Amino acid sequence: MTETYLDIMEDSLRKKIEVMQQIEIQNGIQKKALERPEGPDQDAFDEAVRVKGDLIGKVTELNDGFAGLYDKIKNELDDNKDKYRDQITRMQNLIRQVTDLSNTIEVQEVRNKKLIDSYFSNSKISVKSSKQSAAVSSDYRTTMNKSAGAQSHFVDSQS
């Protein structure tokens, strides 16, 4: 029975690697959507976020299933490490791959967050600049309207 659980756990790790590779792809799609010269592609970005949400749900399910099986056979593995050495070694290698993918995904997430922050920062600057320009324009118009009346009065009083 333990060997069957180990087979299932090994299969679970392989599926987790596949799902995490799909997350990597979605991170790349997000990056491309954010780096467009004409501005971010909001639809592509949103779709990648949606797909990633589904994939993360799958990773969570796989993690829960793996942990549940491990809890069932932990004592048996501890007591008979030599008997299951090959399967344990294969799973350790798969876990290393999962860890490497996790690190890569984390780096991609940080990069994409910086791209998003930069976009919003630039958008805020653009909005602030537009508001300032509108305010300056309004002040200028008001000043000019007042000065037009003052010049007229000055010219009239000197004549």
Side-chain angles (χ1 to χ4, degrees), residues 77-146:
L77 289 178
D78 288 341
D79 295 341
N80 299 298
K81 288 181 184 177
D82 289 339
K83 181 178 178 182
Y84 304 110
R85 182 170 310 283
D86 290 342
Q87 285 179 299
I88 291 170
T89 301
R90 284 194 308 270
M91 284 195 302
Q92 287 173 333
N93 289 331
L94 291 170
I95 290 168
R96 281 187 200 93
Q97 289 178 34
V98 167
T99 302
D100 290 346
L101 280 168
S102 293
N103 292 334
T104 300
I105 289 169
E106 186 175 339
V107 167
Q108 290 174 329
E109 292 289 337
V110 168
R111 179 203 60 218
N112 285 351
K113 183 182 182 320
K114 285 180 183 177
L115 288 170
I116 292 169
D117 290 346
S118 174
Y119 169 72
F120 284 126
S121 176
N122 290 338
S123 294
K124 287 178 187 177
I125 290 169
S126 176
V127 168
K128 184 177 179 180
S129 176
S130 295
K131 286 181 182 179
Q132 287 175 340
S133 295
V136 167
S137 176
S138 176
D139 289 346
Y140 177 77
R141 203 171 29 254
T142 301
T143 302
M144 290 308 292
N145 285 339
K146 287 180 183 177

